[in-house]
Amino acid sequence: MENGTGQKPRRRSAQRLEARRTMGGMLLAMTPLWALFPSLGLLLMVLSPSFTGWLLAGAEADAPALLAAARRWYIVFLAALAAAWVLAAWLTSLAWRSLGRRGLLAVLGGHLAVMALVCVGGELLIFGLLVHMEELPQRIAWVDEDLRSIETDQLEVVECFISPKAHSVPIPGPYSRGMPEPLTVYGVIGEDTGRQWVRIYVPDGLGFALDPERLYDEDQSVPWNEANAQRYLVRYTSNLRIAAEVVPCSPGAADFAPGS
């Protein structure tokens, strides 16, 4: 009788231990889902205004500084996506090994594999689509080309009118909302643009300001603007259209042909 009564508590204790082991294994099998939170936390940290403000410090100085800052942002964002996925995959692999040590791989390995396929595989798919849709590798190549064009002085040059409808913007690129706004975007138009509006991004460091006495007026005719509005010479990069120089044209410069 004593042996029987002594074995019951031991059996109950063993059952509790087994239940805890199984519950711990189930939590481990859910690791791919839990792993999404630190991955997303890493991305949120990279997108935070404090981090981007530090990363883009000094970007407003001039076109080369702004392009260099844009290149840093594209590379850091691309690296953050890769690191977020690697973190999730690494945590999942730790969970797989832990299940093996607990002897639960045969029971819960299938659940973990399905969770890994859905969560880690889905994360890889989403991040891959983001890289493709935001053209991150292409943007890095564009910045490199623009920096070389400044170094070799092979810039786009237009003589144009500039619309006074301008506003500050962050650097061109993905998820830039909330970032510092070191650029002012202007619309320019003239013969050199084919009489089509072209958006030009002017770094604040250039200190450019429109002549308030000779503003372009879209409601007036071409001859009126030619007679009254200031024209400007704009030199800018061909890919991101970052202005390297914006200067007023001299009064003796050739006029635009009306109606052309």
Side-chain angles (χ1 to χ4, degrees), residues 41-130:
L42 175 61
L43 291 179
L44 289 175
M45 183 199 73
V46 170
L47 292 169
S48 67
S50 58
F51 180 82
T52 55
W54 168 78
L55 185 70
L56 304 178
E60 71 281 356
D62 53 21
L66 193 137
L67 287 167
R71 190 178 192 277
R72 285 197 303 272
W73 167 239
Y74 301 153
I75 291 174
V76 165
F77 187 66
L78 189 61
L81 290 175
W85 183 82
V86 169
L87 177 61
W90 176 67
L91 292 173
T92 299
S93 69
L94 290 180
W96 185 274
R97 289 197 292 270
S98 183
L99 283 179
R101 287 194 299 270
R102 292 167 180 249
L104 294 172
L105 200 57
V107 179
L108 296 172
H111 297 285
L112 178 59
V114 171
M115 290 295 296
L117 180 63
V118 172
C119 297
V120 181
E123 189 178 38
L124 179 61
L125 177 62
I126 292 171
F127 288 173
L129 287 174
L130 282 176

Side-chain angles (χ1 to χ4, degrees), residues 147-163:
L147 284 169
R148 282 194 298 270
S149 71
I150 293 175
E151 293 171 359
T152 59
D153 198 26
Q154 295 180 344
L155 298 166
E156 301 287 337
V157 181
V158 295
E159 188 176 323
C160 58
F161 294 114
I162 299 181
S163 172

Side-chain angles (χ1 to χ4, degrees), residues 16 32 38 52 59 66 71 76 101 120 123 127 134 142 153 166 169 181 185 213 215 229 231 238:
R16 286 196 295 269
T52 55
L66 193 137
R71 190 178 192 277
V76 165
R101 287 194 299 270
V120 181
E123 189 178 38
F127 288 173
E134 299 295 345
W142 288 341
D153 198 26
V169 293
E181 298 181 340
V185 58
E213 302 298 326
L215 295 176
R231 285 174 293 153
S238 58

